[in-house]
């Protein structure tokens, strides 16, 4: 049981002072005061700390940590075709395993307890997740450009989703991951949708990331990417839509009518000069919004607190309105919003009895968090995940306790990632 903390409760993250959180069998049993007659196994002092839901990174490519700092300051298409894709062609299972572990160390240290990943060698990502104790929603990235390979790829994507659904004691769920409308031809996307319907899976896909993507889709089909995907039946499935930078008014109405969560990735969108997604309009239209870091090659940091801060800042500029995306809303994007966009709204993202005990603690004893006028404001505008997160719990188990990993060998992971990262470039 965590005692005497400043606990942010429920979907609205309502602060409760001097509150306890009782955890039993991986589940939050009570908030405020423990259930009558209940004796905790362990009492953990949380005085001077914020206790809040673990953050949800709604879109990343974990193993891309190995490309961090390789090929910065290039436009998206050039960056992908000249730097990332040639380097990715050298990836092995070993790279993805250690690169994912490095990402997980980084995410846990900065307060992320769940991440949505789309990549290759996903069995290795799953192995890293299983060992690390974190929660993840995994999809094998599907690219339909090579007709000789597409059938096999789709079969492998479905096979992975089937085999790992509910793995790691329920911490892993799966989706199908068609990469993007411009890398997946129409016929292929229709097959992916059919497979998703048959297997009851959601889709994780990049959409309208750049102006160029929208222009090319319009030239080919006369429609926006969203309108085109709607026609192909993509939104008949729940969809985790990454980026959505160039969504138009009609697109937003389509998304609002379907089970869609938009993974907003402000850091990546800024760095690649993709643009600023219309998040205020999406939120007003009732579309679920989560926050993602995207891969570390285009960010270059997996601290989701940075994305929360960016989300609260850049829309004020876009809208020329200081009240746009207030702090509390930005923080809810990273918690309940992320959970909902991953199909986990009933399970994680809030400190509420009955939810899985995925929570983090941050020390308030930091110069940049004094005086304590408003914890939500501090978390959004002043906090830093790496500096301030002291403890991380997933499914009721501490993975980081007083700044130390309980399961992972952080030094070894950094060493292996350094070695393997070097082997991919040059
Ligand atoms: Zn991405």
């Amino acid at each position: 049981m965590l005692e005497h903390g400043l606990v942010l409760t429920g979907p609205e993250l309502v602060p409760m002072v001097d509150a306890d959180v009782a955890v039993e069998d991986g589940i939050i049993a009570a908030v405020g005061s423990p259930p009558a007659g209940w004796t905790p196994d362990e009492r953990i002092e949380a005085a001077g700390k914020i206790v809040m839901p673990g953050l949800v990174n709604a879109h990343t490519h974990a193993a891309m940590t190995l490309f961090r700092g390789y090929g910065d300051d290039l436009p998206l298409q050039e960056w992908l075709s000249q730097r990332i894709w040639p380097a990715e062609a050298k990836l092995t299972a070993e790279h993805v395993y250690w690169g994912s572990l490095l990402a997980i160390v980084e995410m846990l240290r900065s307060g992320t307890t769940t991440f949505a990943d789309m990549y290759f060698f996903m069995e290795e990502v799953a192995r890293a997740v299983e060992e690390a104790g974190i929660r993840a929603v995994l999809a094998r990235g599907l690219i339909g450009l090579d007709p000789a390979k597409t059938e096999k790829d789709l079969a492998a994507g479905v096979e992975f989703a089937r085999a790992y659904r509910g793995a790691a004691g329920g911490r892993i769920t799966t989706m199908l991951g068609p990469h993007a409308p411009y890398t997946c031809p129409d016929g292929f996307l229709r097959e992916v949708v059919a497979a998703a319907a048959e297997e009851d899976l959601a889709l994780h896909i990049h959409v309208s990331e750049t102006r160029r993507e929208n222009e090319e889709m319009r030239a080919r089909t006369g429609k926006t990417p969203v309108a085109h995907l709607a026609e192909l039946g993509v939104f008949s499935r729940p969809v985790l839509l990454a980026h959505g930078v160039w969504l138009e008014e009609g697109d937003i109405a389509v998304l609002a009518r379907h089970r869609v969560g938009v993974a907003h990735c402000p850091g990546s969108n800024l760095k690649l000069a993709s643009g600023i997604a219309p998040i205020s309009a999406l939120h007003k239209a009732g579309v679920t919004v989560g926050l993602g870091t995207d891969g570390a090659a285009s960010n270059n940091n997996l601290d989701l607190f940075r994305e929360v801060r960016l989300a609260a800042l850049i829309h004020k500029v876009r809208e020329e309105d200081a009240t746009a995306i207030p702090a509390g809303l930005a923080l809810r994007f990273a918690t309940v919003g992320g959970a909902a966009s991953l199909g986990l709204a009933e399970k994680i993202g809030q400190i509420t009895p009955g939810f899985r005990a995925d929570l983090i603690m941050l020390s308030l004893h930091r110069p940049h968090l004094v005086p304590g006028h408003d914890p939500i404001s501090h978390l959004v505008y002043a906090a830093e995940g790496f500096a301030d997160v002291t403890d991380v719990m997933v499914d009721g188990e501490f993975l980081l306790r007083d700044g130390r990993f309980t399961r992972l060998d952080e030094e070894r992971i950094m060493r292996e990632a350094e070695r393997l990262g070097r082997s991919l470039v040059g």
Side-chain angles (χ1 to χ4, degrees), residues 66-303:
L66 297 186
F67 303 118
R68 191 194 329 262
Y70 171 67
D72 293 327
D73 307 331
L74 293 171
L76 176 71
Q77 291 305 331
E78 201 177 315
W79 172 75
L80 280 176
S81 62
Q82 290 176 21
R83 307 303 291 255
I84 294 302
W85 287 340
E88 277 184 339
K90 298 185 199 164
L91 280 176
T92 65
E94 189 189 20
H95 288 108
V96 171
Y97 172 69
W98 288 102
S100 299
L101 277 176
L102 181 66
I104 290 169
V105 160
E106 202 184 336
M107 287 191 278
L108 287 173
R109 262 215 182 284
S110 51
T112 290
T113 51
T114 298
F115 69 103
D117 197 85
M118 178 206 292
Y119 214 53
F120 320 106
F121 298 103
M122 292 306 292
E123 292 76 9
E124 299 299 319
V125 186
R127 180 157 75 99
V129 167
E130 162 102 59
E131 292 171 9
I134 198 168
R135 190 181 304 280
V137 177
L138 306 180
R140 188 180 194 276
L142 303 172
I143 292 184
L145 295 177
D146 181 351
K149 285 208 289 196
T150 52
E151 290 304 316
K152 233 177 88 198
D153 264 15
L154 176 56
V158 170
E159 188 45 46
F160 172 79
R162 236 188 240 155
Y164 286 88
R165 187 199 296 249
R171 283 184 286 107
I172 294 178
T173 47
T174 54
M175 292 185 177
L176 291 185
H179 173 263
Y182 62 93
T183 50
C184 296
D186 299 353
F188 181 64
L189 274 173
R190 281 205 179 89
E191 284 178 46
V192 173
V193 171
E198 202 171 304
E199 301 289 333
D200 192 22
L201 291 165
L203 303 173
H204 185 176
I205 184 169
H206 299 87
V207 180
S208 281
E209 181 173 357
T210 60
R211 186 202 293 266
R212 173 170 155 185
E213 177 187 336
N214 273 38
E215 286 171 356
E216 287 179 356
M217 183 59 79
R218 245 189 224 291
R220 179 163 81 81
T221 66
K223 297 192 179 69
T224 63
V226 163
H228 181 64
L229 292 175
E231 199 172 275
L232 296 176
V234 165
F235 300 112
S236 63
R237 300 305 312 158
V239 172
L240 173 59
L241 186 153
H243 300 299
V245 173
W246 291 93
L247 295 173
E248 297 177 13
E249 230 176 274
D251 298 334
I252 293 173
V254 170
L255 302 188
R257 282 200 300 274
H258 294 93
R259 293 168 292 172
V260 177
V262 170
H264 176 37
C265 305
S268 171
N269 298 157
L270 290 174
K271 182 166 183 255
L272 295 169
S274 303
I276 300 180
I279 295 301
S280 293
L282 281 162
H283 176 67
K284 279 189 192 123
V287 178
T288 300
V289 176
L291 294 180
T293 56
D294 210 353
S298 63
N299 189 305
N300 298 359
N301 187 295
L302 304 184
D303 179 348

Side-chain angles (χ1 to χ4, degrees), residues 56 114 135-137 170-171 173 336 338-349 355:
V56 178
T114 298
R135 190 181 304 280
V137 177
R171 283 184 286 107
T173 47
V336 279
S341 61
L342 270 50
L344 299 173
E346 312 292 318
K347 206 170 167 183
I348 59 162
F355 278 66

